[in-house]
Amino acid sequence: MASVNSLASTLQQQLVDALTAALPEAGAADPLLRRSDRADFQANGILALAKKLKGNPRELASQVTAAIPAGGLIKEIEVSGPGFLNVTLSDRAIIETLAARDADDEGRLGVPYNSAAGTTVIDYAQPNVAKEMHVGHLRSAVIGDAMAHILEFTGETVVRRHHIGDWGTQFGMLIQYLIEHPGELAHEGGAADGEAAMSSLNRLYKASRALFDSDEEFKARSRDRVVALQAGDEETLSMWQRFVDESKIYFYSVFNKLDMEIRDTDIVGESGYNDMLAETCRLLEESGVAVRSEGALCVFFDDIKGTDGEPVPLIVQKSNGGFGYAATDLSAIRDRVQNLKANTLLYVVDARQALHFKMVFETARRAGWLNEDVKAAHLAFGTVLGKDGKPFKTREGETVRLADLLDEAIDRASAVVREKAQDLTDEEITERGTQVGIGAVKYADLSTSAARDYKFDLDQMVSLTGDTSVYIQYAHARSRSIKRKAGELKSQPHPELELAPAERALGLHLDQFGEIVAEVAAAYEPHKLASYLYQLSSLFTTFYDQCPVLKPEVPGDVAENRLFLSDLTARTLHQGMELLGIRTPERL
């Protein structure tokens, strides 16, 4: 089925046509349409137009209103103040547009695909091999997963990349220890679960670090092992692979708890670009983009200087021949542009890496790997804070383990669900508690602008009131409950009916879903979708209070129309929350 034009876009076109008809000398004028408290929409573009044409804005506004066709979309249009147009839409137009959205047989609520869709490689959820995932890993995973869903919904081809930390000098120490203590990663009774895998890795890391710091001979053997790893020695690589595989068992267990699918083929860590590093350096040096400075291969920038006023370079290759992060990131750009045919590279990485990415992107532009047809963007995110407004730590001052954080959220949410549950079994309460708890953690992150820090407050996150995912999940469940109780009553639009204020407000907001999704996808701002869904839930709550659906005194056609609005709300909430990676249970 074809996409459905929103009420705002249809109105915009009618106003443009009226402006052109009434004032042909104005050319292609923008009516500057926006939502308004005084009517459904306000257009204030005539003020600028009057200035340009040296005319009276109120007179021009009257000419434009006279050129708008009567009936149909617009119920009332009035000239206000110095020349604003206040527009109220007809109830019929609202319900007919929503009916078209409901009838979309692709299940997309009439939301159009982006006609300029291309291929985006999105780099997110980047844990480190042989290290525990902590609260600092949460935002990249949650924001990245939501953006991947949103972009795919708009028609973008999305290639996920998890650039895990799976290379570096620390592996010399770990591999050497494992060779000398071969049973350290063995599991009793076969395959390990995530916790057991991480426990083994933690134990091995601590033991190898203690030996490395205290035994000079072991330290020397570990350094030789790094050389063997980088040279591709078979035994060393096979031991390295054991660490990677063990870590993946653990990663998958945490991502599974986050209700997030991470596929093996999407994991291309630092090691995946090793074969490209030397060529990347050669290309940069031959083209003059990078130059040798004190033995290191560097890229310099006019606008990036240190506190001493001296230029701060991007070091692509160290003076000892070793490669830094920049060489890996630049090689990844080459791979993603040349082999994966990406139009857009999106990096969901901590804001503290902003300078690094600025330098890497500029280097790639100078080398011609990024250009007018291929762009790179850093979706930078802030820090997760505790209730005290300081970086989130345990009472002992340790970094909070991500798995522990998620378990606590599930426990708190399960208590809330158990308290409210009327007809749920213990099994259902456990399932809903997980969906509500994980949803609460994701929503708290996604409802804050990514660039800002936010406070991790579980009491607030699982609250039934305020801007929380639980509030939205309960609004969805309430609508599903109305549907179940409606029995034989049809969910059917009635465009001929006059709408109550709460019905109009809900209907107008439902119609904005597609525009919000397009805006969020273009600007990489998932918090705007979260805000839209919260407002939709609030409007539905008002509708529920003021416009009964199933009371005996409600006429049949009114009840059918209200059931239709309730059902479309549930579908929109479900679709929107799904794009954020959050479940919407049918019952709560």
Side-chain angles (χ1 to χ4, degrees):
M1 174 175 170
S3 59
V4 178
N5 288 329
S6 69
L7 292 160
S9 64
T10 306
L11 177 59
Q12 167 89 4
Q13 191 56 54
Q14 284 201 8
L15 290 172
V16 167
D17 292 345
L19 276 165
T20 307
L23 308 162
E25 67 274 26
D30 185 351
L32 298 178
L33 191 68
R34 60 183 179 82
R35 288 300 303 274
S36 169
D37 296 335
R38 304 195 172 180
D40 295 332
F41 292 92
Q42 186 176 78
N44 51 23
I46 289 173
L47 295 178
L49 198 58
K51 200 172 179 184
K52 182 178 162 188
L53 298 176
K54 298 185 171 52
N56 180 311
R58 280 189 67 91
E59 282 178 17
L60 289 180
S62 299
Q63 284 177 259
V64 172
T65 56
I68 290 174
L73 178 68
I74 297 171
K75 177 184 177 183
E76 188 182 345
I77 184 163
E78 63 163 5
V79 179
S80 165
F84 299 127
L85 294 181
N86 286 337
V87 184
T88 302
L89 303 183
S90 71
D91 293 348
R92 173 176 287 278
I94 294 172
I95 294 299
E96 282 178 347
T97 300
L98 295 181
R101 295 198 176 288
D102 185 60
D104 179 1
D105 51 15
E106 287 185 29
R108 292 177 54 81
L109 302 167
V111 177
Y113 289 102
N114 177 7
S115 58
T119 297
T120 294
V121 174
I122 178 166
D123 186 326
Y124 70 104
Q126 311 104 342
N128 294 309
V129 165
K131 289 188 181 172
E132 198 135 33
M133 289 177 71
H134 54 78
V135 68
H137 290 110
L138 179 66
R139 299 205 74 184
S140 177
V142 169
I143 296 168
D145 187 59
M147 279 314 310
H149 288 307
I150 291 163
L151 288 168
E152 281 176 334
F153 186 72
T154 66
E156 192 78 3
T157 299
V158 174
V159 181
R160 292 160 170 80
R161 278 292 175 265
H162 309 297
H163 191 87
I164 63 171
D166 65 352
W167 204 249
T169 53
Q170 76 274 18
F171 284 100
M173 172 186 87
L174 292 166
I175 292 166
Q176 190 58 37
Y177 189 87
L178 187 59
I179 287 171
E180 295 175 15
H181 304 80
E184 280 298 306
L185 283 183
H187 300 291
E188 293 176 19
D193 62 14
E195 278 296 313
M198 195 63 242
S199 176
S200 300
L201 289 166
N202 264 341
R203 188 176 64 248
L204 198 149
Y205 187 88
K206 284 175 184 168
S208 64
R209 170 53 70 184
L211 196 57
F212 186 86
D213 290 343
S214 63
D215 184 332
E216 287 301 319
E217 288 184 3
F218 176 74
K219 185 182 282 189
R221 293 196 299 277
S222 297
R223 285 178 173 155
D224 290 342
R225 189 59 61 184
V226 174
V227 176
L229 177 64
Q230 290 174 341
D233 173 68
E234 212 167 296
E235 181 197 20
T236 307
L237 278 175
S238 126
M239 287 292 183
W240 167 81
Q241 190 64 49
R242 284 188 66 186
F243 281 101
V244 174
D245 293 343
E246 195 78 5
S247 298
K248 281 183 180 177
I249 295 170
Y250 163 69
F251 296 158
Y252 289 148
S253 73
V254 177
F255 288 127
N256 191 46
K257 194 168 280 187
L258 263 172
D259 195 16
M260 205 174 277
E261 186 190 5
I262 302 284
R263 294 181 303 237
D264 218 51
T265 50
D266 300 334
I267 297 178
V268 183
E270 292 168 7
S271 65
Y273 305 100
N274 283 351
D275 294 345
M276 300 176 71
L277 300 178
E279 189 184 13
T280 295
C281 291
R282 179 179 65 76
L283 292 168
L284 291 172
E285 191 168 11
E286 284 178 1
S287 63
V289 171
V291 294
R292 292 284 166 187
S293 175
E294 297 176 26
L297 186 64
C298 303
V299 183
F300 289 92
F301 309 87
D302 292 338
D303 60 334
I304 300 173
K305 292 184 168 63
T307 48
D308 57 1
E310 290 298 309
V312 176
L314 181 71
I315 299 172
V316 185
Q317 190 177 22
K318 301 169 193 169
S319 54
N320 66 2
F323 300 105
Y325 288 123
T328 306
D329 286 335
L330 288 163
S331 298
I333 288 175
R334 284 177 56 216
D335 175 60
R336 292 165 183 184
V337 173
Q338 293 163 9
N339 299 328
L340 300 177
K341 308 298 181 194
N343 311 103
T344 306
L345 307 178
L346 181 60
Y347 292 79
V348 187
V349 182
D350 190 318
R352 287 171 293 191
Q353 298 294 320
L355 181 60
H356 170 76
F357 279 111
K358 180 183 177 183
M359 294 162 91
V360 165
F361 294 165
E362 176 56 28
T363 300
R365 271 192 286 274
R366 291 180 187 179
W369 304 328
L370 296 177
N371 51 48
E372 286 181 6
D373 301 321
V374 187
K375 64 173 183 169
H378 176 202
L379 203 179
F381 55 82
T383 307
V384 181
L385 307 174
K387 286 186 190 180
D388 58 1
K390 295 175 182 172
F392 201 14
K393 304 275 187 188
T394 63
R395 283 179 187 158
E396 295 74 37
E398 300 286 319
T399 306
V400 179
R401 294 173 73 235
L402 185 50
D404 291 345
L405 195 79
L406 300 178
D407 286 339
E408 189 180 350
I410 291 167
D411 288 346
R412 296 277 190 96
S414 298
V416 170
V417 172
R418 187 176 297 281
E419 194 180 314
K420 291 282 290 182
Q422 294 172 354
D423 54 353
L424 298 180
T425 64
D426 281 349
E427 190 180 334
E428 286 172 327
I429 288 170
T430 302
E431 182 195 31
R432 304 297 194 280
T434 301
Q435 292 175 348
V436 170
I438 297 302
V441 170
K442 288 183 176 183
Y443 186 84
D445 192 317
L446 293 166
S447 59
T448 306
S449 169
R452 290 175 51 202
D453 300 341
Y454 79 96
K455 289 182 183 178
F456 195 95
D457 181 350
L458 272 177
D459 292 329
Q460 174 55 32
M461 288 179 188
V462 299
S463 170
L464 295 169
T465 57
D467 187 3
T468 66
S469 64
V470 197
Y471 179 76
I472 298 170
Q473 286 168 322
Y474 266 98
H476 174 269
R478 176 175 276 170
S479 173
R480 298 292 77 198
S481 170
I482 293 170
K483 179 73 170 171
R484 286 192 298 274
K485 290 173 183 170
E488 298 296 309
L489 183 69
K490 281 183 182 173
S491 169
Q492 192 165 309
H494 283 274
E496 73 281 1
L497 291 175
E498 191 175 320
L499 296 177
E503 293 172 314
R504 288 188 103 259
L506 180 62
L508 285 166
H509 197 70
L510 281 167
D511 183 58
Q512 286 182 280
F513 177 64
E515 290 176 343
I516 290 292
V517 170
E519 192 181 322
V520 166
Y524 309 131
E525 293 180 324
H527 69 278
K528 289 185 176 175
L529 177 56
S531 173
Y532 169 85
L533 295 169
Y534 171 62
Q535 289 171 333
L536 180 57
S537 302
S538 300
L539 290 166
F540 178 72
T541 302
T542 304
F543 163 83
Y544 179 83
D545 290 341
Q546 295 179 6
C547 304
V549 179
L550 304 176
K551 287 195 174 167
E553 65 272 20
V554 179
D557 54 354
V558 173
E560 287 179 348
N561 200 53
R562 287 177 179 173
L563 185 58
F564 162 73
L565 286 169
S566 173
D567 282 358
L568 191 58
T569 300
R571 286 184 62 195
T572 306
L573 289 174
H574 171 77
Q575 180 64 76
M577 292 289 264
E578 193 174 68
L579 295 180
L580 296 179
I582 300 173
R583 303 273 178 178
T584 42
E586 293 280 306
R587 295 172 187 261
L588 272 175

